Structures are given as C-alpha cells and as structure tokens.
Amino acid sequence: MAAVTLQRIRATLRRALNMAIRDGLLQINPARVVLLPRPQRHRPQPWTTARVKEWRCDGQCPAVAVWTPAQLAGFLVFVRDDSLFALWWLTALPGLRRGELCALRWTDVDLAEGRLTVSQQIAHVRGRPYLDWPKTATGHRTIAMDTATNAVLRRHQRCQRLAA
C-alpha cells in the first residue's frame, strides 16, 4: 500500500479510537504511537526535449509530467476542430478539476460578463457517478475568463445549438 493510504487508514483509526476513549471504552489510543513512512510528494516536471528522448529510449517518465507551453499550444492546435475542443481548452487553461469540468452547465457560464462559476462536481462511489459539492470549500469559486476562453465557449455553444 502507498504511504499516503496508510496515513489515511491510521487517521481513521485514530479518530475511531479517540471516540472510544471519550466514551470510556479505552484508556489510551494505540494508533497514536504507530509510526508510518512519510508519503512521498512528487513534483511536476516538464516534458523537456531530454526527458522526451529518454522516455522514447527506455519508457521511463516522471511520476508527474507536465507539458511545456509550446507542447500545450501544439496539442490545442492539433485538436482545434475536435467537438470537445472547449473541454480540452478548459482542462488546460483555467485549471478546473475533472469532476468540475464534467459537472459544468451553461447556467454556470456567463459569457456576457466573462465569468465561469464552479458550484458542483461529478464524483464517484463504487464506480457510480453522482453530483456533489466541489472538493473543498474554496473549490466553490467564480473564475474570470479571458477573451480567448470566452470566444472558445461562445463557439462551442453555437455548435451545440446548431447540432440540436
């Protein structure tokens, strides 16, 4: 198991055992003294020319790899005629989470004012999707859209209306 998973399990056990202490069922919390390995945090690394070359040779890549601005621009140019272009654009630029993107509705987008409001997300429990609040309290937010993002969404909305 990953170190972060072990940390979460321990936190759940500590909470339950602390409640048992509060109810007088235990004197001490044995989970308090358990030592676990620290989770390793992976820092994002850009796909530099050298990393791409190494990956092509031996298949090794960073745990968290990100595109350079030029690579992202190349991808967006490549998919510009794709019916999901607006999704690719919103994924790449404003930094929305997957579940937030999937739950986004036209009522959350104000093209006239150039704002996008994140108020819900799609989450999964046992492989079943459901509508939920954003992941954190700060996840409920309004994002100012630049003119390019606004234009992409206007075009997407027009295409959806024509298709309907």
Side-chain angles (χ1 to χ4, degrees), residues 66-69 71-77 79 84-98 101 143 146 149 152:
V66 295
W67 287 341
T68 64
Q71 290 164 334
L72 175 58
F75 172 77
L76 290 173
V77 166
V79 297
L84 295 176
F85 179 72
L87 175 74
W88 306 132
W89 184 277
L90 288 175
T91 299
L93 298 173
L96 298 176
R97 294 183 176 97
R98 265 187 328 224
L101 283 164
I143 300 168
D146 60 278
T149 299
V152 165

Side-chain angles (χ1 to χ4, degrees), residues 99-112:
E100 295 169 346
L101 283 164
C102 292
L104 198 60
R105 304 161 298 177
W106 283 116
T107 55
D108 300 323
V109 178
D110 185 343
L111 294 171

